[in-house]
C-alpha cells in the first residue's frame, strides 16, 4: 500500500486496475444514455435513394429553362406517386410526375418544383420560372454514406444518435452493460432521513447523494445502507457488496481514529490495500483497495469531502468501467469571482460554479468551503485547483478549475448570479 | 388560426396556453431529475448541534494557550464518546473528552484537537501547541439555518440536492408529476427501424428521436407509432393520444400537399387550430392546435426540421408544463467557426456545436444543413440565429446562438474539434 499519493497518482493507479464491463445489447427505444460497445457503421446509404424533400412535381430542368411569367412552360402529369410508393413511369421530355415528401425521384427526372409554385389545370402544370438542375433533390447517401462509421465505440447515446440509428434501420444497439456500484455508509452516528431525529445522530446524506450521482452517470447504484462502526459487520457488507457489484464505494471510517475501521474490515474481507491518503483538501483520508479484481474506494465521512473525491477519483474509474472514451474531467482557465482569504499549505479544491458573462468564464465560490458543508455542493460544477503553498486568492485573478458537474446553466442569468 | 407567425409569437402563444401538471410526491431515492413543486424549507439547523469534524479531543482553548513542544500541557481524559453517542460529562478546566467525527461538542468545550496531534499516556493527553478557540468545531446551523429555504419550487432535483435533502431528514419530496407526451409519426413512406428495408420506404427516425428527447427532458414519452396518411386514422390516434397524454407531438403531414392531412385530422378530432407556419427555416410548416386545454404541436416530416422546431417551440412549452423555472433556452454571443455561403432571405437556424477555446466561445457548424440531414443533429447543442435578409456568413464573424442541447463537452478536445 502507498500512503500519501498525489491526486494524479491516485487516479492513474485506479484507472490502470479498472476493467470495462461486458458487452450486451439493448433495443433502440431503451438506448438513451447507454454507451456504445462497438463502432456503428451504416449498412446502407441514408437516404437509400434519391428523393424529393417536398410535395411537388419531378421534372427535367432543361424542359423549363425558358419559363417566365409571360411565357409559362407546360408539362404533362403522367403519374401521381404517394409518399411511400415508387414511381412506375419514367420521365421523358415534356412530362412530369407528381411526388410527395420523401418519394423516390422518378427515373429521368433531375429536379423537383414545389406544389405551390406551379399552376395545375387538368393533366398539365404550368411553370413560370426555371430551376437549376438538382433543385429540391435529396441525393442517396447525402446524409450518411454506406459503410460510413456514424458513431464510435465508447460514445454515450444521445437523443440525436437514437434518431440517426433509427434512420439507419438499427433497432438493436450494441452497448456495454450498466456498471453496478455498491454503496455503504459506515458510522454509528448516522441515521436514515426517513427516521425521526435522535440526539447525537445525523442524517446520512452521502448514501443518497452518491446513489444519485451514480444514477446520473448512467450506472446502477446498489444501496447497501448504513453499517455501524464494527469491523465484522463492515467486512461482511464488503464481501456481500462485491458479490453483487462491479465496484464498491464506502463513506466514513477512513481516517486515523480508533473507530475508523474500514481499513481493518477491508483486510478481514480479503482485500488488498492500494493507497491511503491523497495530498489534497478536502477528502485526503480517501483509501483504495482491491479484491477479486474489483476496486473498493473508501471516501471520507465528511459529506462534501466525500463528494469532491468521488468526482475527482471515483468518477474517472467508473467512466472507464462504463467504457466511455472521455474519462477525465476537463480543465478550464477562468477568472475567480470571489475572494478566498485562507492560505493553502496543502493542495486544495474549492467548490465553485462556472459562469460565462459576456464571453468571459468566471468561477464563483458556492459558499462556505467546510468539509461538511452540503450547501456548497448545490450548484457546484467546477472545482478550483489551488496549488499547495498558495496564499489568499483575490477576486479577478486567473485560476484553473476542473469541471465536475452539470454546466448546462453556464449561460443562464449571468448578471444576477455574479455581483 | 393565425398563419405565418414569428418564432417568438409562436412560443408566446403556446406558453400562455400551457398548464402545469399536478403535484405529487416521491421518495428521496427516486427524486433525481424530478421538479420540486414547493419551496423546501429546513425544519432544523444543519448540523443540528455543535460537533466535531474529526476524531480528537474536545477541550477549552484557554487551558492550552501556553502549550509548546518544550512545555506540553496535560489534560485529563474524563470520557470517551463514540460517534452517534452523546457526551455525558461536562468539560471543566484541565479536562478533556475524547470525541469522534460527528460527535456533539461536550458542554464546556470550545475547541477540538486532532487525535494525531496529541500524545496520550494513560488517562492524560499532552498538547505541545495552542489552538485558537473554535478550532475544529462545526457549529449548529453552520450549513443550513432552521427555516432557511434551501431549494425553490421549479428546481430540478440534482444529486447534490438529493444529498442536502437527505441531510435535512427529508425522505419524501414534493414534486410535479411527470409530463406525459404522446408522439405520432404520420406518413405512408415510414417504416419502423426494426422492419426490413422496402423500396420507396424510409426508416422513421423522428419518433425515436423525439421519444429520447422527451426522456432526456424528464418527461414520459407515450409512443403511438406510425400512422398512414389517412385523415380518419390520424384523427382516431389524436383522440386516443389526448386521452392518455398531457400534450401531443406529431410529425409529418403539415405542409401544403394533397396528403398533408394532419390539419384535417385535427379538425375532425375536434381540435382548434392555434397557428400554422412559423417564419423560419428549417421547420416552417409547423402547426399548433388545442383540444380540451391540451396542446398539439404538428412538426414537419423532415427529421432535422422537426427537431429544430421541437427544441425551439415544443421544449419551452413542455418545460412550463413540467413546472420548471427556466423555460426558454439561453442565448449566447459567439464566433462562427466556419463559412456558411448561402444567403438567408428567411430567418434561418443553423445547427452548430458550442466550443470554448482559450476562453472564447465558438460555434462550429455540424455539417450539411439540409432539412433531412440527421447527421447535422449529432453534436448539435446550439442553433445559430441568422436574421432574415442576411448574406453569406464568414468564419470569424460574431453570431448569436440559442443553446438547445447538452453543452457538457464545451471544454473537451478544443484543439482537435476546430481547425
Amino acid at each position: 500500500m502507498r500512503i500519501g499519493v498525489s491526486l494524479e497518482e491516485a487516479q492513474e493507479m485506479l484507472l490502470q486496475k479498472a476493467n470495462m464491463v461486458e458487452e450486451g445489447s439493448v433495443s433502440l427505444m431503451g438506448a438513451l444514455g447507454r454507451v456504445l460497445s462497438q463502432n456503428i457503421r451504416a449498412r446502407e446509404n441514408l437516404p437509400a435513394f434519391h428523393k424529393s424533400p417536398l410535395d411537388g412535381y419531378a421534372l427535367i430542368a432543361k424542359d423549363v429553362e425558358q419559363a417566365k411569367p409571360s411565357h409559362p412552360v407546360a408539362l404533362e402529369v403522367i403519374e401521381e406517386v404517394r409518399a411511400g410508393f415508387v414511381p412506375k413511369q419514367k420521365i421523358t421530355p415534356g412530362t412530369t410526375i407528381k411526388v410527395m415528401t420523401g418519394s423516390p425521384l422518378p427515373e429521368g427526372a433531375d429536379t423537383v418544383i414545389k406544389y405551390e409554385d406551379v399552376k395545375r389545370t387538368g393533366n398539365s402544370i404550368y411553370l413560370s420560372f426555371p430551376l437549376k438542375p438538382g433543385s429540391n433533390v435529396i441525393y442517396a447517401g447525402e446524409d450518411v454514406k454506406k459503410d460510413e462509421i456514424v458513431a464510435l465505440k465508447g460514445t454515450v447515446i444521445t437523443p440525436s444518435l437514437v434518431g440517426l440509428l433509427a434512420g439507419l434501420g438499427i433497432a438493436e444497439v450494441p452497448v456495454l452493460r450498466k456498471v453496478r456500484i455498491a454503496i455503504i455508509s459506515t458510522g454509528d452516528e448516522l441515521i436514515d432521513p426517513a427516521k425521526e431525529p435522535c440526539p447525537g445522530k445525523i442524517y446520512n446524506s452521502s448514501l443518497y447523494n452518491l446513489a444519485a450521482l451514480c444514477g446520473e452517470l448512467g450506472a446502477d447504484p446498489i444501496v447497501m445502507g448504513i453499517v455501524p462502526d464494527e469491523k465484522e459487520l463492515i467486512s461482511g457488507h464488503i464481501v456481500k457488496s462485491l458479490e453483487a457489484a462491479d465496484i464498491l464505494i464506502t463513506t466514513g471510517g477512513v481516517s486515523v481514529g480508533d473507530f475508523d475501521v474500514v481499513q481493518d474490515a477491508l483486510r478481514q474481507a480479503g482485500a488488498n490495500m492500494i493507497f491511503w491518503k491523497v495530498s489534497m483538501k478536502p477528502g485526503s483520508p480517501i483509501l483504495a483497495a482491491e479484491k477479486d479484481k474489483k476496486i473498493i474506494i473508501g471516501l471520507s465521512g465528511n459529506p462534501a469531502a466525500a463528494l469532491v473525491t468521488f468526482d475527482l477519483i471515483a468518477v474517472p474509474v467508473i467512466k472507464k468501467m462504463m467504457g466511455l472514451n472521455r474519462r477525465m474531467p476537463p480543465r478550464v482557465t477562468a477568472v475567480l469571482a470571489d475572494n478566498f482569504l485562507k492560505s493553502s499549505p496543502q493542495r486544495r479544491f474549492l467548490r465553485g460554479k462556472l459562469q460565462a458573462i459576456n464571453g468571459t468564464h468566471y468561477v464563483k465560490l458556492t459558499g462556505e468551503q467546510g468539509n461538511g458543508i452540503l450547501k456548497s455542493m448545490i450548484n457546484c460544477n467546477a472545482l478550483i485547483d489551488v496549488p499547495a503553498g498558495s496564499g489568499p486568492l483575490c477576486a479577478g485573478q486567473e485560476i484553473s478549475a476542473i469541471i465536475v458537474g452539470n454546466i448546462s446553466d453556464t449561460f443562464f442569468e449571468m448578471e444576477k448570479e455574479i455581483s
Side-chain angles (χ1 to χ4, degrees), chain A:
Chain A
M1 172 172 65
R2 292 192 49 198
I3 298 182
V5 298
S6 71
L7 171 62
E8 287 73 15
E9 286 170 326
Q11 289 169 333
E12 189 50 38
M13 273 187 269
L14 296 186
L15 278 175
Q16 272 182 17
K17 289 180 184 287
N19 298 307
M20 205 175 292
V21 293
E22 61 272 25
E23 205 178 335
S25 75
V26 71
S27 77
L28 184 57
M29 217 30 115
L32 181 68
R34 302 297 294 269
V35 180
L36 286 178
S37 60
Q38 294 173 21
N39 293 342
I40 303 291
R41 203 179 278 277
R43 295 173 301 192
E44 299 295 338
N45 280 323
L46 180 66
F49 43 83
H50 304 330
K51 65 178 188 174
S52 172
L54 42 81
D55 296 353
Y57 292 88
L59 49 84
I60 302 167
K62 211 168 161 15
D63 277 0
V64 297
E65 64 188 358
Q66 303 300 329
K68 51 184 98 154
S70 54
H71 295 281
V73 172
L75 298 172
E76 187 200 351
V77 182
I78 56 169
E79 188 184 345
E80 303 203 355
V81 184
R82 280 188 63 163
F85 292 81
V86 180
K88 294 184 193 78
Q89 313 274 350
K90 188 179 153 175
I91 287 183
T92 51
T95 67
T96 183
I97 289 177
K98 188 170 176 191
V99 292
M100 305 307 299
T101 305
S103 294
L105 191 71
E107 213 184 317
D110 60 11
T111 302
V112 176
I113 186 165
K114 268 190 206 164
Y115 179 86
E116 309 96 289
D117 289 345
V118 305
K119 210 187 131 196
R120 179 154 177 181
T121 313
N123 264 348
S124 296
I125 59 165
Y126 296 86
L127 281 83
S128 51
F129 57 87
L131 288 105
K132 270 196 291 193
S135 298
N136 299 319
V137 174
I138 299 173
Y139 291 100
E142 187 175 284
D143 194 348
V144 178
K145 299 254 176 307
K146 189 180 172 183
D147 291 328
E148 186 180 331
I149 290 176
V150 295
L152 291 173
K153 180 178 164 172
T155 302
V156 178
I157 300 173
T158 59
S160 331
L161 187 53
V162 167
L164 182 57
L165 296 176
L168 291 167
I170 298 171
E172 193 73 19
V173 192
V175 294
L176 289 152
R177 162 166 83 61
K178 283 194 174 191
V179 172
R180 293 188 279 257
I181 305 175
I183 312 167
I184 295 175
S185 277
T186 70
D188 289 335
E189 77 281 19
L190 298 176
I191 56 170
D192 189 84
K195 297 263 168 71
E196 285 303 305
C198 176
K201 304 282 182 186
I202 58 172
Y203 287 120
N204 177 18
S205 64
S206 297
L207 195 68
Y208 283 81
N209 204 329
L210 292 171
L213 282 166
C214 292
E216 195 178 57
L217 275 170
D220 271 338
I222 301 177
V223 176
M224 302 293 292
I226 299 168
V227 184
D229 289 322
E230 287 169 35
K231 188 174 76 170
E232 303 291 331
L233 275 175
I234 297 174
S235 166
H237 274 79
I238 289 170
V239 170
K240 225 165 86 181
S241 296
L242 292 177
E243 280 163 14
D246 303 306
I247 179 170
L248 166 62
I249 308 289
T250 68
T251 66
V254 291
S255 31
V256 291
D258 283 357
F259 297 105
D260 288 329
V261 292
V262 168
Q263 236 181 100
D264 293 343
L266 280 167
R267 291 211 174 83
Q268 175 156 340
N272 295 315
M273 297 298 299
I274 302 170
F275 65 76
W276 181 33
K277 291 185 180 172
V278 173
S279 312
M280 60 181 278
K281 190 181 162 74
S284 61
I286 183 173
L287 60 78
E290 185 185 22
K291 178 176 162 40
D292 303 335
K293 301 210 166 176
K294 290 179 177 176
I295 291 170
I296 302 116
I297 300 179
L299 305 175
S300 161
N302 277 316
L307 298 173
V308 168
T309 46
F310 180 81
D311 280 334
L312 293 175
I313 298 173
V315 168
V317 172
I318 295 167
K319 286 188 170 173
K320 180 172 178 197
M321 296 171 70
M322 290 173 68
L324 288 177
N325 294 334
R326 289 174 168 168
R327 291 154 197 175
M328 298 304 292
R331 198 176 264 276
V332 62
T333 300
V335 176
L336 183 64
D338 304 283
N339 292 319
F340 179 74
L341 296 177
K342 287 188 185 166
S343 292
S344 302
Q346 245 195 311
R347 183 176 182 181
R348 187 200 290 272
F349 287 95
L350 296 173
R351 285 145 258 163
K353 183 179 181 199
L354 184 72
Q355 288 269 272
I357 307 175
N358 300 328
T360 301
H361 287 111
Y362 291 83
V363 178
K364 183 170 174 57
L365 296 178
T366 51
E368 281 300 320
Q369 298 285 323
N371 270 351
I373 303 291
L374 283 170
K375 223 165 46 180
S376 66
M377 295 306 296
I378 303 290
N379 296 320
C380 169
N381 59 18
L383 295 170
I384 302 169
D385 189 354
V386 184
S390 300
L393 308 179
C394 298
Q397 82 176 73
E398 197 171 81
I399 48 91
S400 173
I402 296 176
I403 293 174
V404 293
N406 189 334
I407 56 168
S408 61
D409 58 355
T410 304
F411 297 98
F412 265 111
E413 288 179 18
M414 306 163 186
E415 303 74 15
K416 265 195 248 166
E417 301 248 355
I418 296 197
S419 52

